[in-house]
Amino acid sequence: MSIFIDNDTKLVVQGITGRDGSFHTLQTMEYGTNVVAGVTPGKGGQTFEGPNGQTVPIFNAMDEAVAETGANTSVIFVPPAFAAGAVLEAADSGVALVVAITEGVPVLDMARAHVFARDKGVRVLGPNCPGLISPGKAKVGILPGQIVTEGPIGLVSRSGTLTYEAVFQLTGAGLGQTTCVGIGGDPLIGTNFIDCLEAFEADPDTKGVVMLGEIGGTDEQEAAAYVSDHMSKPVVGFIAGQTAPPGRRMGHAGAIISGSAGTAEEKMKAFEENGIAVAKRPADLVGLIQDALN
Amino acid sequence: MDIHEYQAKERFRAAGIDVPPGEIATTPEEAETIAAGYGGTVVVKAQVHSGGRGKAGGVRLAKDAAEAKEHATAILGMDIKGLTVEKVLVTPAEDIDTEAYVGVLMDRKKQAATFMVSAEGGVDIEHVAHETPELIRKLTVDPRYGILPHQAFWLANFLYDDPKLIKQASKIIAQLYDAFVNSGASMAEINPLITTSAGEVKAIDAKMSIDDSELFRRPDVEAMRDTSSEPASEVKAREAGLSYVKLDGDVGCCVNGAGLAMATMDLVKYYGGEPANFLDIGGSSNPDKVVAALEIITSDPNVKAILFNIFGGITRCDDVARGIVEATNRIDIGPPIVIRLTGTNEELALEILSDAGFSAYTSMDAVVEKAVELAAGGA
């Protein structure tokens, strides 16, 4: 098993003809994900050339793509100015999961899009996220397929490349993954740590969870409380930004210590107080999760 | 992006909020002329992106133009929390009866703009929220409807007893929400919102932060950027499309991805060093970006060693390798460089680097340890 995506995932790519969209669609198809449609307004009727002679039909709009192909998941690679609109359109089209990769989407636009999607019962992942991958089943987004392998660990992270680093070390130690989820570095994200923890707890194949947080906000603190109240499976964690100065945005729009709130220190303390073993550096995650599983 | 008080006031005025007049001076003489124009008592206020201006002596009352000049002389050039004051706002002093607080900010937990109001204005609101939360009223705005008239009234009703004041404050609260949305703000604050003995409600201070992701579609707000308040290296980084924050250590860091960049800085500290910067070269890096990154890092005289930590996903390791080689050919890089590259096109990258005489690591711990050792003067 896995969470959110699996062998039944039928993917539509919004912005399939763009530079990033086309590159990652190829990678996604090479990984074996079932890409059933692409959407680019004005390019309906054209065809996207995939690997090994596979082709993907392109539609002008999401409703057509979903009606014609039965797509149940969408991934968004459209530019920031149009990304929130793409989320709204996807949430209105009948897909169950919308994965927004785009970075730099105005937060006020996303506030509206998140309410709309919630009302429709549609899960949004991101924006400003690397997506997710269920090794051996499906990949949606930009996580590199070559570093993951099937196994018992669920991984959830606010970051992209830090996720790669952790997965690389897990895989190197023979610890494969059920699903790796990047929830995104923006202040307003559709799926948070708790949503992923809940899904990992319910997934019979996931035996333990690695949670990678960073400075800014209080998501990690709430997730820590959730772990102690609701989870039977072991969770280990890491927080990036122990050396970050207050008041400065560290790359991610959401990675900022406001006043005295959102520091790495308070998050690590919340982890420890709630039974989540904290790695001092990424390399220590492997040992901690191995200990927790035994 | 933070904007100055006088700029936030312009946005507030445009939304209809009653904000007293004010003009900007960059010299004591200008301040004197402005003060003479208003006549009577004025306030001279430092325009700097920092809280605690008052405590630092950056806000002073002047009873006439001569005193305004004197105060401007003292304030201009003053250092407030590491920032030099380049401009002062000269504004007529108001007859203050009461001081309240009205603010709106994007609340991550509620995923919507949330108002906070308190009759305890003119003080640090975080402190009020912590010590006496019962003195604060909060309201989360549904982004589909904006703030509704009865909601603005409910907030204003918490501030005043006099219906005339409540009515004016309700209007200001709704206007503040308009200014917030129309500026693409992440925070907008009036502290204090005053009442005068004549029964008027006015905003005599203004603070606003803009969501950086809004700037591409708001050139009028982008034009308010004050690059003199940022280190030159950060301005250069932004222009090159890099995310950079200068720190005080001596290990220069060049990493792809914000999370990994922070984790790399933390690891420098773990091994006993101090990071000189946060630098994310971004996703689809090209060699030019790497060159710009190296120029920025080496412009910091504190840097004694430079560390690359690249985990290729979208970023191709060979692009970064080419950038490193090109940069070392183009500019004279003093400090030693140590490199960790792994992921997409790793082999190609290692070949490019070894041809140019560099060696590369594949482990993050090994490269960080080495960089810390080099910065400390080891070989």
Side-chain angles (χ1 to χ4, degrees):
Chain A
M1 292 271 287
S2 55
I3 68 168
F4 305 147
I5 58 168
D6 54 28
N7 290 321
D8 296 327
T9 296
K10 293 171 84 178
L11 186 66
V12 48
V13 180
Q14 294 176 259
I16 194 168
T17 54
R19 191 180 59 109
D20 293 336
S22 56
F23 175 78
H24 289 292
T25 302
L26 282 174
Q27 303 270 314
T28 299
M29 293 177 79
E30 270 164 17
Y31 195 73
T33 310
N34 186 13
V35 179
V36 296
V39 169
T40 298
K43 298 205 172 161
Q46 297 182 17
T47 302
F48 178 81
E49 304 292 331
N52 312 316
Q54 302 172 68
T55 59
V56 177
I58 301 176
F59 299 88
N60 282 323
M62 279 295 287
D63 64 323
E64 293 166 12
V66 172
E68 294 290 325
T69 67
N72 55 19
T73 301
S74 106
V75 62
I76 293 173
F77 285 105
V78 310
F82 311 105
V87 171
L88 292 168
E89 190 193 354
D92 218 6
S93 72
V95 298
L97 172 66
V98 179
V99 179
I101 306 298
T102 312
E103 178 172 6
V105 187
V107 175
L108 283 161
D109 291 3
M110 282 315 301
R112 209 166 56 133
H114 283 312
V115 174
F116 185 82
R118 257 200 311 276
D119 278 0
K120 297 272 176 189
V122 174
R123 173 178 299 288
V124 174
L125 184 66
N128 187 16
C129 81
L132 71 173
I133 186 163
S134 295
K137 299 188 180 77
K139 135 180 160 106
V140 176
I142 64 177
L143 289 164
Q146 66 273 21
I147 58 171
V148 301
T149 186
E150 286 176 70
I153 307 297
L155 188 142
V156 55
S157 169
R158 266 169 76 185
S159 160
T161 47
L162 181 57
T163 309
Y164 308 170
E165 182 69 42
V167 170
F168 178 67
Q169 302 207 7
L170 289 172
T171 299
L175 287 165
Q177 307 88 37
T178 47
T179 303
C180 304
V181 190
I183 59 175
D186 262 18
L188 303 195
I189 51 174
T191 297
N192 61 24
F193 280 118
I194 293 177
D195 297 320
C196 298
L197 292 168
E198 194 179 2
F200 281 131
E201 176 71 12
D203 171 35
D205 288 345
T206 300
K207 305 297 180 205
V209 179
V210 172
M211 175 159 60
L212 306 176
E214 65 187 31
I215 54 162
T218 54
D219 242 26
E220 289 83 354
Q221 292 88 316
E222 284 134 32
Y226 180 87
V227 168
S228 95
D229 292 344
H230 301 284
M231 288 201 56
S232 62
K233 297 174 183 178
V235 180
V236 304
F238 175 77
I239 301 290
Q242 296 162 43
T243 50
R248 301 301 310 273
R249 167 174 158 167
M250 305 302 277
H252 290 156
I256 180 163
I257 300 168
S258 319
S260 58
T263 62
E265 201 187 344
E266 68 180 79
K267 287 167 192 257
M268 291 162 77
K269 190 163 161 262
F271 276 9
E272 275 163 0
E273 283 171 359
N274 288 283
I276 301 169
V278 180
K280 291 207 166 49
R281 52 185 179 141
D284 294 336
L285 284 166
V286 168
L288 290 180
I289 191 77
Q290 275 168 338
D291 288 349
L293 289 175
N294 291 332
Chain B
M1 179 181 92
D2 290 337
I3 60 175
H4 288 299
E5 174 195 355
Y6 77 93
Q7 296 168 320
K9 283 182 166 173
E10 283 168 25
R11 306 298 296 186
F12 287 5
R13 278 192 201 102
I17 298 174
D18 187 354
V19 179
E23 281 178 66
I24 283 293
T26 55
T27 64
E29 291 70 28
E30 279 173 23
E32 184 183 21
T33 310
I34 296 164
Y38 290 130
T41 308
V42 296
V43 191
V44 183
K45 307 176 86 176
Q47 299 296 292
V48 64
H49 296 311
S50 156
R53 289 178 303 172
K55 270 186 208 146
V59 178
R60 301 184 191 192
L61 208 59
K63 60 182 183 307
D64 55 30
E67 201 180 348
K69 183 182 176 184
E70 222 173 89
H71 288 333
T73 308
I75 295 171
L76 287 165
M78 176 188 269
D79 180 282
I80 300 180
K81 293 185 184 166
L83 297 166
T84 307
V85 180
E86 313 259 357
K87 293 173 187 163
V88 292
L89 175 66
V90 182
T91 177
E94 292 292 326
D95 145 42
I96 299 173
D97 193 17
T98 68
E99 295 187 310
Y101 172 92
V102 174
V104 55
L105 86 166
M106 188 50 77
D107 184 327
R108 297 164 71 135
K109 214 186 289 181
K110 305 270 187 194
Q111 300 210 318
T114 297
F115 270 91
M116 262 197 343
V117 303
S118 175
E120 296 290 304
V123 292
D124 178 9
I125 198 67
E126 268 202 46
H127 184 74
V128 177
H130 192 257
E131 298 298 320
T132 47
E134 69 279 6
L135 297 180
I136 288 183
R137 181 168 276 189
K138 285 187 180 191
L139 176 105
T140 297
V141 179
D142 187 320
R144 290 169 293 192
Y145 311 123
I147 188 157
L148 301 169
H150 73 279
Q151 294 175 325
F153 182 89
W154 183 74
L155 290 170
N157 196 27
F158 188 67
L159 301 178
Y160 307 119
D161 295 323
D162 181 345
K164 287 197 196 91
L165 298 179
I166 295 171
K167 195 178 161 195
Q168 291 177 68
S170 303
K171 198 170 154 197
I172 289 175
I173 286 166
Q175 288 164 333
L176 182 64
Y177 185 73
D178 288 344
F180 176 84
V181 171
N182 294 331
S183 308
S186 52
M187 186 274 289
E189 189 178 87
I190 304 172
N191 189 21
L193 180 72
I194 62 153
T195 57
T196 64
S197 49
E200 298 161 307
V201 183
K202 293 181 180 184
I204 65 162
D205 198 6
K207 206 171 167 185
M208 209 178 219
S209 297
I210 309 298
D211 172 11
D212 290 350
S213 300
E214 291 270 358
L215 294 170
F216 75 91
R217 62 182 180 189
R218 299 189 189 278
D220 55 330
V221 180
E222 172 65 49
M224 292 180 162
R225 186 186 290 282
D226 179 2
T227 48
S228 72
S229 65
E230 305 170 74
S233 53
E234 292 184 12
V235 176
K236 186 177 154 85
R238 191 178 53 251
E239 282 161 3
L242 302 166
S243 187
Y244 172 83
V245 177
K246 193 186 169 321
L247 302 169
D248 298 328
D250 55 12
V251 180
C253 300
C254 183
V255 187
N256 68 320
L260 190 62
M262 280 188 272
T264 303
M265 286 161 42
D266 295 348
L267 203 59
V268 167
K269 180 102 176 170
Y270 178 90
Y271 282 109
E274 288 290 340
N277 62 278
F278 166 92
L279 192 153
D280 172 10
I281 58 165
S284 42
S285 64
N286 60 33
D288 285 344
K289 270 197 178 178
V290 181
V291 173
L294 272 170
E295 282 173 355
I296 290 159
I297 292 174
T298 53
S299 72
D300 175 357
N302 294 335
V303 171
K304 296 209 180 67
I306 300 168
L307 148 66
F308 275 81
N309 184 14
I310 305 297
F311 205 119
I314 331 172
T315 304
R316 294 168 25 167
C317 292
D318 56 318
D319 277 347
V320 178
R322 265 186 222 103
I324 296 171
V325 173
E326 204 175 310
T328 49
N329 290 337
R330 227 192 279 175
I331 57 171
D332 180 34
I333 294 170
I337 300 178
V338 289
I339 303 161
R340 182 273 181 121
L341 287 161
T342 193
T344 311
N345 293 2
E346 174 182 328
E347 290 78 16
L348 196 54
L350 295 179
E351 213 172 284
I352 293 166
L353 289 174
S354 82
D355 286 352
F358 290 101
S359 56
Y361 296 77
T362 51
S363 141
M364 171 167 167
D365 281 77
V367 78
V368 170
E369 214 175 344
K370 184 69 186 172
V372 170
E373 185 191 319
L374 287 170

